[in-house]
Amino acid sequence: MLGRAAHGVYWMSRYLERAENTARLLNVGLRIALTRGADTTREDEWRSVLVTTGQNLAYRQLYDDYDGVQVFNFILRDKTNPSSVLAMIQGARTNARMVRTSITSEVWESTNECWMQLGDALARPVREHNLGDVLAMIRRLTTQVRGAIEGTMLRNEVFNFSRIGTFIERADNTARILDIKYYVLLPSLAWVGSHIDNAQWDTLLRSVSGDRAYRWLNKGTMDAKGIAQFLILDSKFPRSLIFSYDKIRSNMSGLALEYGHESPSHELVRSGCARLHQTDIDKVFEAGLHEFLTSCISDTVRIGNAIAADFKFVE
Amino acid sequence: MQSQDEDKYDEMFGPDGTVRPAYAEFHDWFEKQNPAWLHKKDKEAEIVFRRSGITFNVYSENAAEERLIPFDMVPRIIAAREWRKLKRGIEQRVRALNAFLQDLYHRQEIVRSGRLPVEMLQGNDAFLPQMVGFVPPGGIYTHVVGIDLVRTGADEFMVLEDNARTPSGVSYMLENRETMMAMFPDLFTRIPVQPVSNYPRLLARSLGACAPACAEAQPRIAVLTPGIYNSAYYEHAFLADQMGAELVEASDIRVVDGRVAMRCTTGYQPIDVLYRRVDDDYLDPLSFNRDSMLGVAGIMDVYRAGRITIANAPGTGIADDKALYSYMPEIVQFYTGEQPILKNVPTWRCREEDSLKYVLENLAELVVKEVHGSGGYGMLIGPAASRTELEKFRQKLRANPGNYIAQPTLALSTVPIFTKSGLAPRHVDLRPFVLVSPEGIEITPGGLTRVALKKGSLVVNSSQGGGTKDSWVLED
């Protein structure tokens, strides 16, 4: 397999995952905008979406306030925003087109269709009353691509690179959301364990589509530690850090099996997994959640770079 | 440009409105269909093309845009007997082209014999000195050829131009057939149409048969594309996919240990046959275009050492140079010893004084082409041009006559297309695709029919708003 093709499949999957995660974050913003509350709560929420997706600086260059319609249009479709959902989908499609011979027709067509339909839906400014439909559409179309990958791709190196891209993006995303929300929600670590407004925690879980799963598992009790445990260490939850890392590891093993040897990135993935498996949530809090998450985020970046180098993504 | 209606030849209907035999079955079927249903099918076809991304890129001043090539559902039908003759003519021409190239880069007998002026080669950029004295692996120069044919009467097929560099359009030939079979399966059970679907397999075999001696038993083939922004990228990806070959860009390959190799996830792996879809100029920055970002430095050295096959061979462009086109009848005769089966379109070489005089005087009736142009760019269509345009072009001709050839405005045949108000005749051409290898010459029955969608228009190029049709050759 060409290094450039591995690079393309990897980024196609990362971009799709990122677009989907962004839609999920915007959904929470929309939900808060629709619930009664102080304007500052809404603005905080929109701001945190921008911060989580790393778009706050670019946004501040254009605007002074966090007006909802302004924020979600910037995130969804602003031409000057290289990280907009539209740019992500365009990026996924361009990569898919580049690796057209490595993916199945079903995967290509679903990616192309995703790009065509979202291109139409985002051709004009999105208004509050149709934001919900647009976000549902993003999730549905990206889910379709994932379904096509799952259902039609050979389980070979191409598939492995696609999955590695998906889960590196997801690990990064979950760690960022937890870090930023926690930071906002808990200015002081002394508050851990104290009673917090349930609605706030609810938004954190919704940002990763984990609200129902969490309630189901925890019978309604909601506390900071429980939520952090769920998002970091619950290997049953498909958006947790540990789940994402386990998936990265199993797909890296697939590559080692196919290529007959391991690369330096394999070692990094193994130690990344070990760190998650050999801890518990009390230890995490003892050491400091923020510190723990920041180092997870930089580990994930390091793994991504090592994979790009080991598998010759670029010259 | 408008054609004169009285002398045009329609391939479906005779002058008295009777249906010609090759179209009888199709016409019978067509008449029985509900037009509203056909229109619905038409729309569906467009959606399928969009969804599958069967597009080509167009560059305007502002941005690149992906467009569909309009597809018309009325097939272009060629009788078995007609095709047999065309096939013989094409085969003869392609044989001559390869013999011509072999001669040009070796003894140049044709120049010595006085049949081709040496000026045709001197100062011609398409003639590559790097190829002189070198025999490509398998002795083949043009692995893939597209011969553009036009029809002007019942038995009058003429060659409009030869495409000996990197002819494109074969993916549309294949997709058009797939689309027709999906839309109207019953047509194919009623009418015996010769299949085209094995083209990619034949292409892979044909390329493999030209592999260099150092290749493994199963030669490694790669398709070299300029990248996703190239107008024919869809086709490059399609062919690589269908052949099971790698699709590479110049940035993926380099010379490693005397072989051309591609960068794989586990390291560099050698390529045996490179089906390149880039121009000579962008092949090797060391040998040709020093400014090129697209080339593979040193690939020509590997090539000359016989350790890779490049298809088509560098330097084949000289054979489809428009200035040389007018010599094709002599070329065919010189190398095959036979009369050409397919005629040329009469051509005036503006480099010759008498011809230039004639062209300047009769510009309003002629089509003038740039010698090195392609895709319908930079040409003048006399009958469609205004006085000012004609005058401007006269000045261009006088300033650089050697850069132009002129041809009469042909009464191209028409085939009906499906329009809102039923069948309507439109002008067509035909590009059959020919594969050449040491094992022989393979011609896929039919080819790509391009059709001018505007009433009366003679310009069929997709870059100028032309469309395509499925082309059927009937079984005997």
Side-chain angles (χ1 to χ4, degrees):
Chain A
M1 175 181 198
L2 289 177
R4 184 174 53 84
H7 182 236
V9 170
Y10 171 89
W11 275 104
M12 176 189 109
S13 304
R14 276 199 80 158
Y15 282 141
L16 285 166
E17 177 72 20
R18 195 178 293 178
E20 189 186 340
N21 293 337
T22 307
R24 214 173 258 118
L25 285 171
L26 286 173
N27 226 349
V28 176
L30 173 67
R31 200 183 151 79
I32 291 193
L34 295 179
T35 37
R36 242 172 238 259
D39 284 349
T40 52
T41 320
R42 284 179 212 170
E43 290 200 355
D44 280 351
E45 187 55 37
W46 289 123
R47 195 180 61 83
S48 93
V49 176
L50 285 164
V51 172
T52 312
T53 54
Q55 301 176 43
N56 196 35
L57 280 178
Y59 180 85
R60 293 300 297 201
Q61 286 184 347
L62 293 178
Y63 306 106
D64 297 327
D65 61 355
Y66 291 102
D67 170 68
V69 178
Q70 202 168 273
V71 172
F72 63 68
N73 272 288
F74 178 81
I75 292 177
L76 285 172
R77 57 181 294 277
D78 195 300
K79 286 210 163 45
T80 65
N81 177 10
S83 313
S84 70
V85 169
L86 199 57
M88 289 303 118
I89 297 295
Q90 175 80 51
R93 197 256 186 182
T94 301
N95 276 289
R97 204 162 168 250
M98 206 166 73
V99 299
R100 179 63 190 81
T101 54
S102 302
I103 56 180
T104 60
S105 310
E106 283 90 340
V107 173
W108 158 247
E109 281 175 25
S110 57
T111 311
N112 193 38
E113 197 154 354
C114 176
W115 171 76
M116 279 161 50
Q117 290 197 22
L118 287 176
D120 284 347
L122 297 175
R124 280 170 304 282
V126 177
R127 285 178 294 174
E128 202 156 50
H129 70 82
N130 63 0
L131 176 62
D133 291 343
V134 169
L135 296 176
M137 193 174 176
I138 296 169
R139 282 160 67 173
R140 178 168 49 79
L141 290 166
T142 48
T143 301
Q144 269 169 22
V145 179
R146 221 185 10 251
I149 293 172
E150 177 72 31
T152 65
M153 297 276 289
L154 280 177
R155 293 315 195 248
N156 60 7
E157 48 187 339
V158 183
F159 183 80
N160 291 140
F161 282 113
S162 161
R163 300 289 272 188
I164 290 168
T166 299
F167 286 103
I168 285 202
E169 182 64 31
R170 190 176 293 178
D172 180 71
N173 181 69
T174 298
R176 266 174 215 284
I177 289 178
L178 184 55
D179 189 34
I180 283 159
K181 291 275 185 178
Y182 225 95
Y183 229 41
V184 171
L185 294 174
L186 294 174
S188 154
L189 279 180
W191 292 18
V192 174
S194 62
H195 173 78
I196 309 156
D197 179 4
N198 275 3
Q200 298 255 328
W201 287 110
D202 204 42
T203 70
L204 170 52
L205 288 168
R206 275 178 193 277
S207 306
V208 291
S209 291
D211 47 322
R212 292 200 54 207
Y214 180 83
R215 276 198 298 271
W216 194 76
L217 288 170
N218 293 277
K219 311 282 180 278
T221 54
M222 207 172 272
D223 66 285
K225 213 178 253 181
I227 289 171
Q229 143 83 29
F230 178 65
L231 295 182
I232 298 171
L233 296 175
D234 193 322
S235 52
K236 292 185 292 299
F237 179 54
R239 312 199 78 85
S240 71
L241 274 179
I242 200 165
F243 184 93
S244 303
Y245 261 79
D246 283 347
K247 285 290 177 189
I248 297 169
R249 188 176 56 180
S250 64
N251 283 284
M252 288 293 284
S253 305
L255 290 178
L257 202 64
E258 183 151 352
Y259 296 156
H261 62 86
E262 288 199 345
S263 311
S265 50
H266 279 94
E267 190 46 47
L268 286 179
V269 172
R270 236 194 320 274
S271 67
C273 280
R275 178 226 288 270
L276 290 165
H277 280 280
Q278 290 161 12
T279 191
D280 60 46
I281 201 65
D282 290 324
K283 285 191 200 138
V284 168
F285 274 97
E286 264 164 44
L289 180 67
H290 175 63
E291 288 69 20
F292 181 83
L293 290 171
T294 331
S295 91
C296 275
I297 291 169
S298 55
D299 272 4
T300 312
V301 171
R302 205 171 303 129
I303 288 171
N305 293 340
I307 288 170
D310 287 351
F311 301 105
K312 302 169 183 61
F313 280 9
V314 288
E315 175 91 63
Chain B
M1 161 170 61
Q2 304 290 307
S3 65
Q4 282 96 4
D5 270 1
E6 58 270 22
D7 48 48
K8 76 157 194 238
Y9 178 86
D10 189 81
E11 299 189 12
M12 188 186 284
F13 298 106
D16 56 353
T18 54
V19 179
R20 297 189 196 274
Y23 283 87
E25 273 280 333
F26 173 79
H27 187 262
D28 184 47
W29 172 90
F30 184 82
E31 288 291 291
K32 287 180 193 142
Q33 309 306 311
N34 175 356
W37 180 76
L38 288 175
H39 281 295
K40 194 174 140 257
K41 283 282 174 188
D42 206 23
K43 281 263 168 286
E44 280 172 18
E46 195 184 316
I47 294 168
V48 170
F49 278 98
R50 273 254 176 248
R51 192 181 303 141
S52 348
I54 307 177
T55 57
F56 71 108
N57 300 335
V58 185
Y59 298 93
S60 62
E61 284 155 27
N62 303 321
E65 179 195 351
E66 285 176 35
R67 271 195 224 159
L68 289 185
I69 296 189
F71 168 72
D72 177 67
M73 65 161 78
V74 179
R76 199 262 186 94
I77 307 177
I78 300 165
R81 181 187 48 80
E82 290 172 335
W83 177 250
R84 268 197 301 276
K85 184 180 167 193
L86 283 181
K87 201 175 155 186
R88 277 196 301 126
I90 294 166
E91 198 168 324
Q92 179 194 48
R93 195 159 173 120
V94 170
R95 252 182 232 297
L97 280 173
N98 272 284
F100 175 54
L101 284 161
Q102 159 78 24
D103 184 29
L104 278 191
Y105 288 115
H106 291 86
R107 288 183 48 80
Q108 302 195 339
E109 300 284 0
I110 193 163
V111 178
R112 290 168 202 239
S113 72
R115 285 184 178 80
L116 185 76
V118 71
E119 299 85 71
M120 290 285 95
L121 307 179
Q122 285 166 348
N124 190 330
D125 291 341
F127 182 82
L128 295 187
Q130 293 88 340
M131 289 296 288
V132 171
F134 174 69
V135 182
I140 307 295
Y141 285 85
T142 63
H143 307 76
V144 186
V145 192
I147 304 285
D148 286 358
L149 300 169
V150 292
R151 187 176 200 178
T152 53
D155 249 342
E156 298 286 309
F157 278 95
M158 286 190 268
V159 178
L160 189 61
E161 61 185 54
D162 305 286
N163 296 278
R165 302 168 202 216
T166 50
S168 62
V170 75
S171 58
Y172 295 96
M173 170 185 90
L174 297 164
E175 290 288 3
N176 286 353
R177 177 63 53 81
E178 289 297 316
T179 306
M180 281 299 277
M181 288 173 66
M183 282 167 88
F184 309 117
D186 49 325
L187 266 178
F188 292 86
T189 52
R190 270 179 81 148
I191 307 175
V193 180
Q194 296 190 30
V196 295
S197 58
N198 59 351
Y199 177 86
R201 203 173 48 79
L202 291 175
L203 174 62
R205 202 177 77 188
S206 186
L207 291 172
C210 298
C214 58
E216 288 170 27
Q218 183 80 336
R220 258 183 296 225
I221 301 173
V223 178
L224 175 62
T225 174
I228 60 167
Y229 298 110
N230 183 266
S231 64
Y233 177 76
Y234 166 74
E235 176 156 307
H236 308 159
F238 175 89
L239 289 174
D241 195 33
Q242 296 277 312
M243 289 195 290
E246 286 291 352
L247 179 66
V248 298
E249 294 179 11
S251 66
D252 297 321
I253 49 184
R254 65 195 287 186
V255 175
V256 179
D257 300 334
R259 298 289 312 267
V260 173
M262 52 190 167
R263 195 183 71 250
C264 294
T265 51
T266 49
Y268 279 89
Q269 286 176 13
I271 297 170
D272 299 315
V273 181
L274 191 64
Y275 178 30
R276 51 89 175 228
R277 298 290 299 253
V278 304
D279 292 341
D280 287 349
D281 269 357
Y282 299 108
L283 212 45
D284 187 346
L286 297 184
S287 289
F288 306 122
N289 185 347
R290 292 201 168 270
D291 302 326
S292 168
M293 300 289 291
L294 299 175
V296 183
I299 188 173
M300 279 304 285
D301 294 336
V302 179
Y303 184 55
R304 290 190 57 102
R307 293 170 71 78
I308 188 166
T309 298
I310 300 177
N312 290 351
T316 52
I318 189 74
D320 68 14
D321 194 73
K322 287 195 178 65
L324 266 105
Y325 163 85
S326 61
Y327 295 94
M328 275 309 287
E330 286 97 324
I331 290 170
V332 171
Q333 202 167 15
F334 187 77
Y335 295 104
T336 65
E338 302 160 3
Q339 283 299 317
I341 300 168
L342 291 169
K343 278 189 222 158
N344 252 23
V345 177
T347 303
W348 289 275
R349 304 160 188 148
C350 298
R351 59 185 284 273
E352 293 166 9
E353 210 172 307
D354 292 352
S355 298
L356 177 65
K357 189 159 170 279
Y358 177 87
V359 171
L360 288 170
E361 280 165 10
N362 297 280
L363 199 56
E365 280 89 58
L366 299 172
V367 176
V368 188
K369 295 174 179 174
E370 281 186 20
V371 171
H372 306 297
S374 70
Y377 291 105
M379 66 193 265
L380 173 89
I381 298 175
S386 69
R387 269 164 188 275
T388 350
E389 284 168 335
L390 288 174
E391 198 40 53
K392 266 195 190 152
F393 216 89
R394 278 199 188 91
Q395 288 170 11
K396 281 205 220 168
L397 273 168
R398 284 198 198 93
N400 189 5
N403 195 35
Y404 298 94
I405 55 162
Q407 293 171 336
T409 312
L410 296 173
L412 297 191
S413 63
T414 56
V415 174
I417 62 165
F418 184 62
T419 71
K420 284 199 181 83
S421 43
L423 295 179
R426 292 292 186 273
H427 295 290
V428 293
D429 78 352
L430 179 67
R431 176 178 292 177
F433 292 94
V434 190
L435 297 173
V436 190
S437 82
E439 292 171 356
I441 294 180
E442 289 277 357
I443 307 172
T444 304
L448 179 67
T449 291
R450 298 186 297 176
V451 55
L453 295 173
K454 258 187 275 166
K455 191 176 174 193
S457 168
L458 291 171
V459 185
V460 297
N461 304 71
S462 52
S463 51
Q464 315 275 314
T468 66
K469 282 171 169 293
D470 189 14
S471 313
W472 294 1
V473 173
L474 301 182
E475 303 267 8
D476 262 325

